[in-house]
Amino acid sequence: MITAENIKAMIHHWLNTPPNGYFSQSYGADAKALLLKELSAEVADSFIDKLRLDIPLIGRLNDNQLSISTQPVGFDQLNVFLSIGDIDIRLNDNPITDIEQDYYNVSAK
């Protein structure tokens, strides 16, 4: 039996795997690229489409069960959540630690 915690673990694995992280597989998320773009319905939809493609179990969920939402924090921040049923996963929770990429940690001291 697959539980909500199993699904959450699958999503976390997908989010922590860089795109094309497995040889000859497109599996993986580029959440950092999502967070660096202006969030729109088109960007969120393509992110969810990739998730559905990579994890077939998630592909069975409808739009009411799988969505991306935002929550303003102050006047200059936005939290981005991936919602799977009653499970909310904050996409901008992990600091960016890859130093060989085209992005950087703006909260570095």
Side-chain angles (χ1 to χ4, degrees):
M1 178 177 178
I2 297 175
T3 65
E5 285 303 314
N6 296 131
I7 293 173
K8 188 174 179 179
M10 288 179 205
I11 300 297
H12 277 288
H13 181 268
W14 182 75
L15 289 169
N16 291 319
T17 303
N20 307 310
Y22 291 104
F23 183 71
S24 76
Q25 299 291 318
S26 67
Y27 177 89
D30 196 359
K32 295 168 188 167
L34 170 76
L35 296 172
L36 290 173
K37 294 179 183 173
E38 182 177 344
L39 193 60
S40 67
E42 183 177 316
V43 171
D45 287 344
S46 65
F47 190 80
I48 289 176
D49 290 343
K50 176 81 165 91
L51 174 60
R52 285 183 168 143
L53 180 68
D54 287 350
I55 305 176
L57 177 67
I58 302 298
R60 296 180 179 179
L61 301 176
N62 63 35
D63 290 339
N64 294 330
Q65 298 168 315
L66 182 64
S67 63
I68 291 182
S69 59
T70 59
Q71 174 189 37
V73 179
F75 70 93
D76 64 344
Q77 268 189 319
L78 195 64
N79 285 334
V80 181
F81 294 94
L82 174 65
S83 300
I84 302 125
D86 294 333
I87 301 170
D88 290 331
I89 299 172
R90 191 169 146 202
L91 296 178
N92 55 329
D93 201 16
N94 297 327
I96 297 171
T97 57
D98 297 342
I99 58 173
E100 296 180 20
Q101 298 295 321
D102 295 330
Y103 39 78
Y104 57 93
N105 187 347
V106 295
S107 62
K109 295 181 181 178

